[in-house]
Amino acid sequence: MNEMRYRIARRSFLGLIAAAVAGQMVGRTFAAAPAITVHKDPNCGCCSRWIDHLRSTGFSVDVHETADLAPIRQQRGIPRELAACHTAAVSGYVLEGHVPVLAIQRLLAESPNARGLAVPGMPIGSPGMEGGEPQPYTVVLFGPAGQTPYMRFIGNRQLDK
């Protein structure tokens, strides 16, 4: 009789451990990247490809299409010289242009005192601008302290580590 209780108690205990481990694994498995809200022109194909780049790495994306991005850029405090073809927001930060996921992930991990990241213009080879000979480009961190180079890329490959 005691041996039967021991087996039941042991199975229950092992079941609880397995459930706890499974719960932790499920939490990790389904811990998604934060959602990114993107404002883009409805006719822009490179913006749509940048969104595909985000989604392919686990970000959920909420797309808002508008032909006039100037008010959104002004509201978000994006300097005119950093303007590109789409504007996005994630976790309180602004993303302007073809910012690679690697730079977004670093921004979210480090949480600097900044407004956000920008890739001015539309460099060939940046996410969404694939095709042709990739150009080196700089991701700019901007905010209260001004503008500083944050990361350098050629295509999706980081140049400096």
Side-chain angles (χ1 to χ4, degrees):
M1 183 79 153
N2 283 338
E3 187 175 321
M4 183 182 268
R5 271 193 229 163
Y6 171 76
R7 285 183 185 168
I8 292 172
R10 183 173 174 231
R11 276 191 218 143
S12 297
F13 177 72
L14 292 175
L16 287 172
I17 290 175
V21 169
Q24 287 179 343
M25 289 174 59
V26 167
R28 288 185 187 145
T29 302
F30 293 104
I36 297 179
T37 301
V38 178
H39 298 272
K40 71 177 225 37
D41 185 290
N43 301 309
C44 186
C46 68
C47 297
S48 297
R49 289 189 300 274
W50 183 71
I51 290 167
D52 292 341
H53 169 71
L54 298 174
R55 287 180 173 148
S56 73
T57 58
F59 283 99
S60 62
V61 182
D62 182 24
V63 179
H64 298 268
E65 296 187 339
T66 179
D68 186 11
L69 291 168
I72 294 164
R73 288 189 182 110
Q74 184 177 16
Q75 175 189 20
R76 308 251 183 197
I78 298 169
R80 185 168 294 166
E81 67 273 13
L82 296 181
C85 67
H86 52 264
T87 302
V90 61
S91 300
Y93 290 105
V94 176
L95 306 170
E96 181 67 12
H98 294 267
V99 179
V101 163
L102 188 59
I104 297 168
Q105 291 168 332
R106 178 179 166 197
L107 176 78
L108 296 175
E110 293 178 349
S111 299
N113 180 19
R115 187 167 308 269
L117 298 176
V119 173
M122 299 167 67
I124 296 172
S126 61
M129 292 294 297
E130 293 86 357
E133 186 66 30
Q135 304 168 333
Y137 61 95
T138 300
V139 176
V140 177
L141 180 73
F142 66 97
Q147 300 175 20
T148 58
Y150 191 65
M151 297 175 82
R152 291 195 32 81
F153 288 85
I154 186 162
N156 280 331
R157 184 174 53 89
Q158 183 180 352
L159 293 177
D160 51 358
K161 291 188 180 188

